[in-house]
Amino acid sequence: MTQAKKTLKERFIHAFLFEVLAIGLCAPAAAWAMGKSLFEMGVLTAVIAWIALVWNMIYNAGFDRIENRLGWTRNLRVRVVHAFGFELGLILIVIPLAAWWLSISLWQAFVLDIALVLFYLPYAFFYNLAYDRLRPHAMKWLGRNGGQAAPAAAR
């Protein structure tokens, strides 16, 4: 079973909603835990979110191609692989940025990033699981209400 093709607009909306919700949950907790100002952590999490937004679209497009090429069904095991792969790539980007912005060592940035991963990994898993389940309903609703999106089966 292949996955429905997603437009660039849908990929952007998917990633944007993911990041907005995550910033709202993460920035205040990270500021408190790091003893940094909400501004410092807010800017850092917003920049990380922007990076993650771009990485999300690139990673998901590539993952979808691999998934379709290998004939994978989007099940629990595939979602776990998906979440781990995404976070690993993001870790490699975020650690140097966090160390520079917060004036901390790479080790401290690594520890901070691990804490963020412990939040984002289950968050990404459950967000995407919910998205997979709600997407057909949203596509149907958008199609019925004059939206540009076609139902998932037509893609």
Side-chain angles (χ1 to χ4, degrees), residues 55-56 58-60 63 66 77-93 117 121 124:
W55 173 236
N56 187 307
I58 293 167
Y59 179 80
N60 284 330
F63 194 90
I66 291 168
R77 183 180 58 83
V78 170
R79 269 297 173 205
V80 168
V81 168
H82 175 269
F84 272 99
F86 177 83
E87 292 301 332
L88 180 62
L90 196 57
I91 283 171
L92 297 174
I93 299 167
V117 167
L121 194 57

mmCIF file with all atom_site columns, all heavy atoms in Angstrom, residues 55-56 58-60 63 66 77-93 117 121 124:
data_model
loop_
_atom_site.group_PDB
_atom_site.id
_atom_site.type_symbol
_atom_site.label_atom_id
_atom_site.label_alt_id
_atom_site.label_comp_id
_atom_site.label_asym_id
_atom_site.label_entity_id
_atom_site.label_seq_id
_atom_site.pdbx_PDB_ins_code
_atom_site.Cartn_x
_atom_site.Cartn_y
_atom_site.Cartn_z
_atom_site.occupancy
_atom_site.B_iso_or_equiv
_atom_site.pdbx_formal_charge
_atom_site.auth_seq_id
_atom_site.auth_comp_id
_atom_site.auth_asym_id
_atom_site.auth_atom_id
_atom_site.pdbx_PDB_model_num
ATOM 1   N N   . TRP A 1 55  ? 13.891 20.955 7.594  1.00 0.00 ? 55  TRP A N   1
ATOM 2   C CA  . TRP A 1 55  ? 14.352 19.572 7.681  1.00 0.00 ? 55  TRP A CA  1
ATOM 3   C C   . TRP A 1 55  ? 13.175 18.613 7.590  1.00 0.00 ? 55  TRP A C   1
ATOM 4   O O   . TRP A 1 55  ? 13.251 17.578 6.932  1.00 0.00 ? 55  TRP A O   1
ATOM 5   C CB  . TRP A 1 55  ? 15.141 19.373 8.967  1.00 0.00 ? 55  TRP A CB  1
ATOM 6   C CG  . TRP A 1 55  ? 15.538 17.956 9.272  1.00 0.00 ? 55  TRP A CG  1
ATOM 7   C CD1 . TRP A 1 55  ? 15.240 17.269 10.404 1.00 0.00 ? 55  TRP A CD1 1
ATOM 8   C CD2 . TRP A 1 55  ? 16.305 17.059 8.466  1.00 0.00 ? 55  TRP A CD2 1
ATOM 9   N NE1 . TRP A 1 55  ? 15.779 16.001 10.352 1.00 0.00 ? 55  TRP A NE1 1
ATOM 10  C CE2 . TRP A 1 55  ? 16.437 15.849 9.161  1.00 0.00 ? 55  TRP A CE2 1
ATOM 11  C CE3 . TRP A 1 55  ? 16.891 17.176 7.209  1.00 0.00 ? 55  TRP A CE3 1
ATOM 12  C CZ2 . TRP A 1 55  ? 17.122 14.756 8.650  1.00 0.00 ? 55  TRP A CZ2 1
ATOM 13  C CZ3 . TRP A 1 55  ? 17.582 16.083 6.693  1.00 0.00 ? 55  TRP A CZ3 1
ATOM 14  C CH2 . TRP A 1 55  ? 17.689 14.890 7.420  1.00 0.00 ? 55  TRP A CH2 1
ATOM 15  N N   . ASN A 1 56  ? 12.058 18.956 8.230  1.00 0.00 ? 56  ASN A N   1
ATOM 16  C CA  . ASN A 1 56  ? 10.858 18.120 8.210  1.00 0.00 ? 56  ASN A CA  1
ATOM 17  C C   . ASN A 1 56  ? 10.370 17.894 6.782  1.00 0.00 ? 56  ASN A C   1
ATOM 18  O O   . ASN A 1 56  ? 10.094 16.761 6.382  1.00 0.00 ? 56  ASN A O   1
ATOM 19  C CB  . ASN A 1 56  ? 9.760  18.788 9.054  1.00 0.00 ? 56  ASN A CB  1
ATOM 20  C CG  . ASN A 1 56  ? 8.536  17.929 9.234  1.00 0.00 ? 56  ASN A CG  1
ATOM 21  O OD1 . ASN A 1 56  ? 7.945  17.444 8.281  1.00 0.00 ? 56  ASN A OD1 1
ATOM 22  N ND2 . ASN A 1 56  ? 8.141  17.767 10.474 1.00 0.00 ? 56  ASN A ND2 1
ATOM 23  N N   . ILE A 1 58  ? 12.045 18.231 3.944  1.00 0.00 ? 58  ILE A N   1
ATOM 24  C CA  . ILE A 1 58  ? 13.043 17.470 3.176  1.00 0.00 ? 58  ILE A CA  1
ATOM 25  C C   . ILE A 1 58  ? 13.034 16.004 3.615  1.00 0.00 ? 58  ILE A C   1
ATOM 26  O O   . ILE A 1 58  ? 12.988 15.090 2.785  1.00 0.00 ? 58  ILE A O   1
ATOM 27  C CB  . ILE A 1 58  ? 14.450 18.090 3.353  1.00 0.00 ? 58  ILE A CB  1
ATOM 28  C CG1 . ILE A 1 58  ? 14.495 19.479 2.706  1.00 0.00 ? 58  ILE A CG1 1
ATOM 29  C CG2 . ILE A 1 58  ? 15.531 17.174 2.789  1.00 0.00 ? 58  ILE A CG2 1
ATOM 30  C CD1 . ILE A 1 58  ? 15.714 20.301 3.094  1.00 0.00 ? 58  ILE A CD1 1
ATOM 31  N N   . TYR A 1 59  ? 13.099 15.772 4.914  1.00 0.00 ? 59  TYR A N   1
ATOM 32  C CA  . TYR A 1 59  ? 13.155 14.420 5.453  1.00 0.00 ? 59  TYR A CA  1
ATOM 33  C C   . TYR A 1 59  ? 11.900 13.627 5.088  1.00 0.00 ? 59  TYR A C   1
ATOM 34  O O   . TYR A 1 59  ? 11.983 12.488 4.636  1.00 0.00 ? 59  TYR A O   1
ATOM 35  C CB  . TYR A 1 59  ? 13.326 14.470 6.975  1.00 0.00 ? 59  TYR A CB  1
ATOM 36  C CG  . TYR A 1 59  ? 13.380 13.106 7.612  1.00 0.00 ? 59  TYR A CG  1
ATOM 37  C CD1 . TYR A 1 59  ? 14.551 12.357 7.603  1.00 0.00 ? 59  TYR A CD1 1
ATOM 38  C CD2 . TYR A 1 59  ? 12.259 12.552 8.213  1.00 0.00 ? 59  TYR A CD2 1
ATOM 39  C CE1 . TYR A 1 59  ? 14.603 11.096 8.181  1.00 0.00 ? 59  TYR A CE1 1
ATOM 40  C CE2 . TYR A 1 59  ? 12.298 11.299 8.796  1.00 0.00 ? 59  TYR A CE2 1
ATOM 41  C CZ  . TYR A 1 59  ? 13.474 10.576 8.775  1.00 0.00 ? 59  TYR A CZ  1
ATOM 42  O OH  . TYR A 1 59  ? 13.511 9.328  9.344  1.00 0.00 ? 59  TYR A OH  1
ATOM 43  N N   . ASN A 1 60  ? 10.726 14.233 5.271  1.00 0.00 ? 60  ASN A N   1
ATOM 44  C CA  . ASN A 1 60  ? 9.480  13.514 4.993  1.00 0.00 ? 60  ASN A CA  1
ATOM 45  C C   . ASN A 1 60  ? 9.315  13.200 3.511  1.00 0.00 ? 60  ASN A C   1
ATOM 46  O O   . ASN A 1 60  ? 8.819  12.127 3.159  1.00 0.00 ? 60  ASN A O   1
ATOM 47  C CB  . ASN A 1 60  ? 8.277  14.276 5.528  1.00 0.00 ? 60  ASN A CB  1
ATOM 48  C CG  . ASN A 1 60  ? 8.153  14.155 7.026  1.00 0.00 ? 60  ASN A CG  1
ATOM 49  O OD1 . ASN A 1 60  ? 8.552  13.162 7.618  1.00 0.00 ? 60  ASN A OD1 1
ATOM 50  N ND2 . ASN A 1 60  ? 7.632  15.189 7.656  1.00 0.00 ? 60  ASN A ND2 1
ATOM 51  N N   . PHE A 1 63  ? 11.640 10.295 3.037  1.00 0.00 ? 63  PHE A N   1
ATOM 52  C CA  . PHE A 1 63  ? 11.116 9.111  3.708  1.00 0.00 ? 63  PHE A CA  1
ATOM 53  C C   . PHE A 1 63  ? 9.931  8.538  2.934  1.00 0.00 ? 63  PHE A C   1
ATOM 54  O O   . PHE A 1 63  ? 9.824  7.319  2.771  1.00 0.00 ? 63  PHE A O   1
ATOM 55  C CB  . PHE A 1 63  ? 10.707 9.448  5.148  1.00 0.00 ? 63  PHE A CB  1
ATOM 56  C CG  . PHE A 1 63  ? 10.473 8.236  5.992  1.00 0.00 ? 63  PHE A CG  1
ATOM 57  C CD1 . PHE A 1 63  ? 11.514 7.677  6.717  1.00 0.00 ? 63  PHE A CD1 1
ATOM 58  C CD2 . PHE A 1 63  ? 9.216  7.645  6.078  1.00 0.00 ? 63  PHE A CD2 1
ATOM 59  C CE1 . PHE A 1 63  ? 11.307 6.545  7.504  1.00 0.00 ? 63  PHE A CE1 1
ATOM 60  C CE2 . PHE A 1 63  ? 9.004  6.525  6.856  1.00 0.00 ? 63  PHE A CE2 1
ATOM 61  C CZ  . PHE A 1 63  ? 10.056 5.971  7.573  1.00 0.00 ? 63  PHE A CZ  1
ATOM 62  N N   . ILE A 1 66  ? 11.243 6.585  -0.013 1.00 0.00 ? 66  ILE A N   1
ATOM 63  C CA  . ILE A 1 66  ? 11.790 5.292  0.418  1.00 0.00 ? 66  ILE A CA  1
ATOM 64  C C   . ILE A 1 66  ? 10.660 4.348  0.803  1.00 0.00 ? 66  ILE A C   1
ATOM 65  O O   . ILE A 1 66  ? 10.657 3.177  0.407  1.00 0.00 ? 66  ILE A O   1
ATOM 66  C CB  . ILE A 1 66  ? 12.770 5.489  1.600  1.00 0.00 ? 66  ILE A CB  1
ATOM 67  C CG1 . ILE A 1 66  ? 14.035 6.212  1.133  1.00 0.00 ? 66  ILE A CG1 1
ATOM 68  C CG2 . ILE A 1 66  ? 13.114 4.152  2.257  1.00 0.00 ? 66  ILE A CG2 1
ATOM 69  C CD1 . ILE A 1 66  ? 14.932 6.700  2.260  1.00 0.00 ? 66  ILE A CD1 1
ATOM 70  N N   . ARG A 1 77  ? 5.953  0.238  13.610 1.00 0.00 ? 77  ARG A N   1
ATOM 71  C CA  . ARG A 1 77  ? 7.390  0.074  13.410 1.00 0.00 ? 77  ARG A CA  1
ATOM 72  C C   . ARG A 1 77  ? 7.950  1.133  12.469 1.00 0.00 ? 77  ARG A C   1
ATOM 73  O O   . ARG A 1 77  ? 8.982  1.744  12.742 1.00 0.00 ? 77  ARG A O   1
ATOM 74  C CB  . ARG A 1 77  ? 7.691  -1.322 12.864 1.00 0.00 ? 77  ARG A CB  1
ATOM 75  C CG  . ARG A 1 77  ? 9.167  -1.615 12.689 1.00 0.00 ? 77  ARG A CG  1
ATOM 76  C CD  . ARG A 1 77  ? 9.426  -3.016 12.147 1.00 0.00 ? 77  ARG A CD  1
ATOM 77  N NE  . ARG A 1 77  ? 8.786  -3.275 10.879 1.00 0.00 ? 77  ARG A NE  1
ATOM 78  C CZ  . ARG A 1 77  ? 9.297  -2.922 9.690  1.00 0.00 ? 77  ARG A CZ  1
ATOM 79  N NH1 . ARG A 1 77  ? 10.434 -2.295 9.611  1.00 0.00 ? 77  ARG A NH1 1
ATOM 80  N NH2 . ARG A 1 77  ? 8.648  -3.208 8.582  1.00 0.00 ? 77  ARG A NH2 1
ATOM 81  N N   . VAL A 1 78  ? 7.260  1.411  11.384 1.00 0.00 ? 78  VAL A N   1
ATOM 82  C CA  . VAL A 1 78  ? 7.715  2.414  10.420 1.00 0.00 ? 78  VAL A CA  1
ATOM 83  C C   . VAL A 1 78  ? 7.684  3.805  11.057 1.00 0.00 ? 78  VAL A C   1
ATOM 84  O O   . VAL A 1 78  ? 8.591  4.608  10.849 1.00 0.00 ? 78  VAL A O   1
ATOM 85  C CB  . VAL A 1 78  ? 6.874  2.368  9.126  1.00 0.00 ? 78  VAL A CB  1
ATOM 86  C CG1 . VAL A 1 78  ? 7.163  3.553  8.220  1.00 0.00 ? 78  VAL A CG1 1
ATOM 87  C CG2 . VAL A 1 78  ? 7.142  1.055  8.392  1.00 0.00 ? 78  VAL A CG2 1
ATOM 88  N N   . ARG A 1 79  ? 6.675  4.088  11.875 1.00 0.00 ? 79  ARG A N   1
ATOM 89  C CA  . ARG A 1 79  ? 6.606  5.391  12.550 1.00 0.00 ? 79  ARG A CA  1
ATOM 90  C C   . ARG A 1 79  ? 7.745  5.559  13.559 1.00 0.00 ? 79  ARG A C   1
ATOM 91  O O   . ARG A 1 79  ? 8.277  6.652  13.713 1.00 0.00 ? 79  ARG A O   1
ATOM 92  C CB  . ARG A 1 79  ? 5.259  5.577  13.254 1.00 0.00 ? 79  ARG A CB  1
ATOM 93  C CG  . ARG A 1 79  ? 4.234  6.239  12.388 1.00 0.00 ? 79  ARG A CG  1
ATOM 94  C CD  . ARG A 1 79  ? 4.683  7.635  12.031 1.00 0.00 ? 79  ARG A CD  1
ATOM 95  N NE  . ARG A 1 79  ? 3.792  8.226  11.058 1.00 0.00 ? 79  ARG A NE  1
ATOM 96  C CZ  . ARG A 1 79  ? 4.153  9.190  10.226 1.00 0.00 ? 79  ARG A CZ  1
ATOM 97  N NH1 . ARG A 1 79  ? 5.370  9.664  10.222 1.00 0.00 ? 79  ARG A NH1 1
ATOM 98  N NH2 . ARG A 1 79  ? 3.301  9.696  9.401  1.00 0.00 ? 79  ARG A NH2 1
ATOM 99  N N   . VAL A 1 80  ? 8.151  4.475  14.218 1.00 0.00 ? 80  VAL A N   1
ATOM 100 C CA  . VAL A 1 80  ? 9.277  4.552  15.151 1.00 0.00 ? 80  VAL A CA  1
ATOM 101 C C   . VAL A 1 80  ? 10.565 4.842  14.381 1.00 0.00 ? 80  VAL A C   1
ATOM 102 O O   . VAL A 1 80  ? 11.347 5.718  14.767 1.00 0.00 ? 80  VAL A O   1
ATOM 103 C CB  . VAL A 1 80  ? 9.390  3.256  15.995 1.00 0.00 ? 80  VAL A CB  1
ATOM 104 C CG1 . VAL A 1 80  ? 10.700 3.199  16.757 1.00 0.00 ? 80  VAL A CG1 1
ATOM 105 C CG2 . VAL A 1 80  ? 8.203  3.156  16.960 1.00 0.00 ? 80  VAL A CG2 1
ATOM 106 N N   . VAL A 1 81  ? 10.794 4.144  13.281 1.00 0.00 ? 81  VAL A N   1
ATOM 107 C CA  . VAL A 1 81  ? 11.971 4.381  12.435 1.00 0.00 ? 81  VAL A CA  1
ATOM 108 C C   . VAL A 1 81  ? 11.955 5.822  11.929 1.00 0.00 ? 81  VAL A C   1
ATOM 109 O O   . VAL A 1 81  ? 12.979 6.523  11.949 1.00 0.00 ? 81  VAL A O   1
ATOM 110 C CB  . VAL A 1 81  ? 12.021 3.380  11.260 1.00 0.00 ? 81  VAL A CB  1
ATOM 111 C CG1 . VAL A 1 81  ? 13.051 3.782  10.219 1.00 0.00 ? 81  VAL A CG1 1
ATOM 112 C CG2 . VAL A 1 81  ? 12.288 1.974  11.770 1.00 0.00 ? 81  VAL A CG2 1
ATOM 113 N N   . HIS A 1 82  ? 10.799 6.277  11.485 1.00 0.00 ? 82  HIS A N   1
ATOM 114 C CA  . HIS A 1 82  ? 10.636 7.640  10.980 1.00 0.00 ? 82  HIS A CA  1
ATOM 115 C C   . HIS A 1 82  ? 11.025 8.670  12.041 1.00 0.00 ? 82  HIS A C   1
ATOM 116 O O   . HIS A 1 82  ? 11.806 9.587  11.783 1.00 0.00 ? 82  HIS A O   1
ATOM 117 C CB  . HIS A 1 82  ? 9.185  7.840  10.534 1.00 0.00 ? 82  HIS A CB  1
ATOM 118 C CG  . HIS A 1 82  ? 8.876  9.232  10.100 1.00 0.00 ? 82  HIS A CG  1
ATOM 119 N ND1 . HIS A 1 82  ? 8.400  10.185 10.970 1.00 0.00 ? 82  HIS A ND1 1
ATOM 120 C CD2 . HIS A 1 82  ? 8.977  9.820  8.888  1.00 0.00 ? 82  HIS A CD2 1
ATOM 121 C CE1 . HIS A 1 82  ? 8.217  11.313 10.309 1.00 0.00 ? 82  HIS A CE1 1
ATOM 122 N NE2 . HIS A 1 82  ? 8.564  11.120 9.040  1.00 0.00 ? 82  HIS A NE2 1
ATOM 123 N N   . ALA A 1 83  ? 10.504 8.526  13.245 1.00 0.00 ? 83  ALA A N   1
ATOM 124 C CA  . ALA A 1 83  ? 10.761 9.494  14.316 1.00 0.00 ? 83  ALA A CA  1
ATOM 125 C C   . ALA A 1 83  ? 12.238 9.512  14.706 1.00 0.00 ? 83  ALA A C   1
ATOM 126 O O   . ALA A 1 83  ? 12.835 10.580 14.859 1.00 0.00 ? 83  ALA A O   1
ATOM 127 C CB  . ALA A 1 83  ? 9.889  9.177  15.530 1.00 0.00 ? 83  ALA A CB  1
ATOM 128 N N   . PHE A 1 84  ? 12.855 8.336  14.854 1.00 0.00 ? 84  PHE A N   1
ATOM 129 C CA  . PHE A 1 84  ? 14.269 8.280  15.227 1.00 0.00 ? 84  PHE A CA  1
ATOM 130 C C   . PHE A 1 84  ? 15.160 8.891  14.149 1.00 0.00 ? 84  PHE A C   1
ATOM 131 O O   . PHE A 1 84  ? 16.091 9.631  14.460 1.00 0.00 ? 84  PHE A O   1
ATOM 132 C CB  . PHE A 1 84  ? 14.702 6.834  15.524 1.00 0.00 ? 84  PHE A CB  1
ATOM 133 C CG  . PHE A 1 84  ? 14.476 6.426  16.939 1.00 0.00 ? 84  PHE A CG  1
ATOM 134 C CD1 . PHE A 1 84  ? 13.357 5.677  17.276 1.00 0.00 ? 84  PHE A CD1 1
ATOM 135 C CD2 . PHE A 1 84  ? 15.369 6.772  17.941 1.00 0.00 ? 84  PHE A CD2 1
ATOM 136 C CE1 . PHE A 1 84  ? 13.121 5.296  18.594 1.00 0.00 ? 84  PHE A CE1 1
ATOM 137 C CE2 . PHE A 1 84  ? 15.153 6.402  19.253 1.00 0.00 ? 84  PHE A CE2 1
ATOM 138 C CZ  . PHE A 1 84  ? 14.023 5.652  19.577 1.00 0.00 ? 84  PHE A CZ  1
ATOM 139 N N   . GLY A 1 85  ? 14.888 8.592  12.899 1.00 0.00 ? 85  GLY A N   1
ATOM 140 C CA  . GLY A 1 85  ? 15.691 9.147  11.806 1.00 0.00 ? 85  GLY A CA  1
ATOM 141 C C   . GLY A 1 85  ? 15.605 10.658 11.732 1.00 0.00 ? 85  GLY A C   1
ATOM 142 O O   . GLY A 1 85  ? 16.618 11.345 11.543 1.00 0.00 ? 85  GLY A O   1
ATOM 143 N N   . PHE A 1 86  ? 14.412 11.185 11.887 1.00 0.00 ? 86  PHE A N   1
ATOM 144 C CA  . PHE A 1 86  ? 14.230 12.626 11.865 1.00 0.00 ? 86  PHE A CA  1
ATOM 145 C C   . PHE A 1 86  ? 15.023 13.291 12.984 1.00 0.00 ? 86  PHE A C   1
ATOM 146 O O   . PHE A 1 86  ? 15.752 14.254 12.760 1.00 0.00 ? 86  PHE A O   1
ATOM 147 C CB  . PHE A 1 86  ? 12.747 12.988 11.990 1.00 0.00 ? 86  PHE A CB  1
ATOM 148 C CG  . PHE A 1 86  ? 12.522 14.466 12.051 1.00 0.00 ? 86  PHE A CG  1
ATOM 149 C CD1 . PHE A 1 86  ? 12.477 15.214 10.888 1.00 0.00 ? 86  PHE A CD1 1
ATOM 150 C CD2 . PHE A 1 86  ? 12.382 15.116 13.262 1.00 0.00 ? 86  PHE A CD2 1
ATOM 151 C CE1 . PHE A 1 86  ? 12.298 16.594 10.934 1.00 0.00 ? 86  PHE A CE1 1
ATOM 152 C CE2 . PHE A 1 86  ? 12.205 16.489 13.321 1.00 0.00 ? 86  PHE A CE2 1
ATOM 153 C CZ  . PHE A 1 86  ? 12.157 17.231 12.155 1.00 0.00 ? 86  PHE A CZ  1
ATOM 154 N N   . GLU A 1 87  ? 14.878 12.775 14.194 1.00 0.00 ? 87  GLU A N   1
ATOM 155 C CA  . GLU A 1 87  ? 15.555 13.388 15.352 1.00 0.00 ? 87  GLU A CA  1
ATOM 156 C C   . GLU A 1 87  ? 17.068 13.284 15.255 1.00 0.00 ? 87  GLU A C   1
ATOM 157 O O   . GLU A 1 87  ? 17.774 14.215 15.636 1.00 0.00 ? 87  GLU A O   1
ATOM 158 C CB  . GLU A 1 87  ? 15.048 12.781 16.660 1.00 0.00 ? 87  GLU A CB  1
ATOM 159 C CG  . GLU A 1 87  ? 13.610 13.123 16.971 1.00 0.00 ? 87  GLU A CG  1
ATOM 160 C CD  . GLU A 1 87  ? 13.319 14.618 17.083 1.00 0.00 ? 87  GLU A CD  1
ATOM 161 O OE1 . GLU A 1 87  ? 14.230 15.402 17.442 1.00 0.00 ? 87  GLU A OE1 1
ATOM 162 O OE2 . GLU A 1 87  ? 12.183 15.007 16.805 1.00 0.00 ? 87  GLU A OE2 1
ATOM 163 N N   . LEU A 1 88  ? 17.597 12.183 14.749 1.00 0.00 ? 88  LEU A N   1
ATOM 164 C CA  . LEU A 1 88  ? 19.043 12.037 14.596 1.00 0.00 ? 88  LEU A CA  1
ATOM 165 C C   . LEU A 1 88  ? 19.599 13.112 13.671 1.00 0.00 ? 88  LEU A C   1
ATOM 166 O O   . LEU A 1 88  ? 20.612 13.755 13.974 1.00 0.00 ? 88  LEU A O   1
ATOM 167 C CB  . LEU A 1 88  ? 19.399 10.645 14.084 1.00 0.00 ? 88  LEU A CB  1
ATOM 168 C CG  . LEU A 1 88  ? 20.880 10.380 13.875 1.00 0.00 ? 88  LEU A CG  1
ATOM 169 C CD1 . LEU A 1 88  ? 21.639 10.486 15.198 1.00 0.00 ? 88  LEU A CD1 1
ATOM 170 C CD2 . LEU A 1 88  ? 21.086 9.016  13.241 1.00 0.00 ? 88  LEU A CD2 1
ATOM 171 N N   . GLY A 1 89  ? 18.945 13.327 12.551 1.00 0.00 ? 89  GLY A N   1
ATOM 172 C CA  . GLY A 1 89  ? 19.389 14.375 11.627 1.00 0.00 ? 89  GLY A CA  1
ATOM 173 C C   . GLY A 1 89  ? 19.332 15.754 12.259 1.00 0.00 ? 89  GLY A C   1
ATOM 174 O O   . GLY A 1 89  ? 20.244 16.571 12.087 1.00 0.00 ? 89  GLY A O   1
ATOM 175 N N   . LEU A 1 90  ? 18.288 16.012 13.007 1.00 0.00 ? 90  LEU A N   1
ATOM 176 C CA  . LEU A 1 90  ? 18.136 17.321 13.640 1.00 0.00 ? 90  LEU A CA  1
ATOM 177 C C   . LEU A 1 90  ? 19.186 17.554 14.726 1.00 0.00 ? 90  LEU A C   1
ATOM 178 O O   . LEU A 1 90  ? 19.700 18.658 14.867 1.00 0.00 ? 90  LEU A O   1
ATOM 179 C CB  . LEU A 1 90  ? 16.723 17.459 14.212 1.00 0.00 ? 90  LEU A CB  1
ATOM 180 C CG  . LEU A 1 90  ? 16.269 18.868 14.569 1.00 0.00 ? 90  LEU A CG  1
ATOM 181 C CD1 . LEU A 1 90  ? 16.356 19.810 13.372 1.00 0.00 ? 90  LEU A CD1 1
ATOM 182 C CD2 . LEU A 1 90  ? 14.856 18.836 15.110 1.00 0.00 ? 90  LEU A CD2 1
ATOM 183 N N   . ILE A 1 91  ? 19.537 16.518 15.463 1.00 0.00 ? 91  ILE A N   1
ATOM 184 C CA  . ILE A 1 91  ? 20.573 16.626 16.501 1.00 0.00 ? 91  ILE A CA  1
ATOM 185 C C   . ILE A 1 91  ? 21.878 17.140 15.899 1.00 0.00 ? 91  ILE A C   1
ATOM 186 O O   . ILE A 1 91  ? 22.545 18.004 16.476 1.00 0.00 ? 91  ILE A O   1
ATOM 187 C CB  . ILE A 1 91  ? 20.800 15.259 17.186 1.00 0.00 ? 91  ILE A CB  1
ATOM 188 C CG1 . ILE A 1 91  ? 19.678 14.973 18.173 1.00 0.00 ? 91  ILE A CG1 1
ATOM 189 C CG2 . ILE A 1 91  ? 22.148 15.200 17.895 1.00 0.00 ? 91  ILE A CG2 1
ATOM 190 C CD1 . ILE A 1 91  ? 19.710 13.554 18.733 1.00 0.00 ? 91  ILE A CD1 1
ATOM 191 N N   . LEU A 1 92  ? 22.245 16.613 14.754 1.00 0.00 ? 92  LEU A N   1
ATOM 192 C CA  . LEU A 1 92  ? 23.508 16.993 14.120 1.00 0.00 ? 92  LEU A CA  1
ATOM 193 C C   . LEU A 1 92  ? 23.530 18.460 13.697 1.00 0.00 ? 92  LEU A C   1
ATOM 194 O O   . LEU A 1 92  ? 24.591 19.067 13.601 1.00 0.00 ? 92  LEU A O   1
ATOM 195 C CB  . LEU A 1 92  ? 23.785 16.087 12.928 1.00 0.00 ? 92  LEU A CB  1
ATOM 196 C CG  . LEU A 1 92  ? 23.979 14.614 13.267 1.00 0.00 ? 92  LEU A CG  1
ATOM 197 C CD1 . LEU A 1 92  ? 24.098 13.776 11.996 1.00 0.00 ? 92  LEU A CD1 1
ATOM 198 C CD2 . LEU A 1 92  ? 25.175 14.407 14.180 1.00 0.00 ? 92  LEU A CD2 1
ATOM 199 N N   . ILE A 1 93  ? 22.368 19.033 13.487 1.00 0.00 ? 93  ILE A N   1
ATOM 200 C CA  . ILE A 1 93  ? 22.266 20.443 13.100 1.00 0.00 ? 93  ILE A CA  1
ATOM 201 C C   . ILE A 1 93  ? 22.201 21.344 14.333 1.00 0.00 ? 93  ILE A C   1
ATOM 202 O O   . ILE A 1 93  ? 22.821 22.406 14.375 1.00 0.00 ? 93  ILE A O   1
ATOM 203 C CB  . ILE A 1 93  ? 21.013 20.662 12.224 1.00 0.00 ? 93  ILE A CB  1
ATOM 204 C CG1 . ILE A 1 93  ? 21.088 19.822 10.943 1.00 0.00 ? 93  ILE A CG1 1
ATOM 205 C CG2 . ILE A 1 93  ? 20.829 22.141 11.898 1.00 0.00 ? 93  ILE A CG2 1
ATOM 206 C CD1 . ILE A 1 93  ? 19.767 19.725 10.186 1.00 0.00 ? 93  ILE A CD1 1
ATOM 207 N N   . VAL A 1 117 ? 15.215 16.058 22.708 1.00 0.00 ? 117 VAL A N   1
ATOM 208 C CA  . VAL A 1 117 ? 14.819 14.835 21.992 1.00 0.00 ? 117 VAL A CA  1
ATOM 209 C C   . VAL A 1 117 ? 13.864 14.003 22.848 1.00 0.00 ? 117 VAL A C   1
ATOM 210 O O   . VAL A 1 117 ? 12.900 13.432 22.326 1.00 0.00 ? 117 VAL A O   1
ATOM 211 C CB  . VAL A 1 117 ? 16.056 14.009 21.581 1.00 0.00 ? 117 VAL A CB  1
ATOM 212 C CG1 . VAL A 1 117 ? 15.667 12.604 21.130 1.00 0.00 ? 117 VAL A CG1 1
ATOM 213 C CG2 . VAL A 1 117 ? 16.814 14.726 20.478 1.00 0.00 ? 117 VAL A CG2 1
ATOM 214 N N   . LEU A 1 121 ? 10.793 13.354 20.618 1.00 0.00 ? 121 LEU A N   1
ATOM 215 C CA  . LEU A 1 121 ? 10.616 12.014 20.062 1.00 0.00 ? 121 LEU A CA  1
ATOM 216 C C   . LEU A 1 121 ? 9.207  11.483 20.284 1.00 0.00 ? 121 LEU A C   1
ATOM 217 O O   . LEU A 1 121 ? 8.521  11.142 19.309 1.00 0.00 ? 121 LEU A O   1
ATOM 218 C CB  . LEU A 1 121 ? 11.681 11.061 20.611 1.00 0.00 ? 121 LEU A CB  1
ATOM 219 C CG  . LEU A 1 121 ? 11.825 9.741  19.891 1.00 0.00 ? 121 LEU A CG  1
ATOM 220 C CD1 . LEU A 1 121 ? 12.112 9.938  18.415 1.00 0.00 ? 121 LEU A CD1 1
ATOM 221 C CD2 . LEU A 1 121 ? 12.926 8.929  20.532 1.00 0.00 ? 121 LEU A CD2 1
ATOM 222 N N   . ALA A 1 124 ? 6.755  13.904 18.371 1.00 0.00 ? 124 ALA A N   1
ATOM 223 C CA  . ALA A 1 124 ? 6.715  13.673 16.925 1.00 0.00 ? 124 ALA A CA  1
ATOM 224 C C   . ALA A 1 124 ? 5.936  12.410 16.595 1.00 0.00 ? 124 ALA A C   1
ATOM 225 O O   . ALA A 1 124 ? 5.128  12.384 15.653 1.00 0.00 ? 124 ALA A O   1
ATOM 226 C CB  . ALA A 1 124 ? 8.137  13.570 16.367 1.00 0.00 ? 124 ALA A CB  1
#
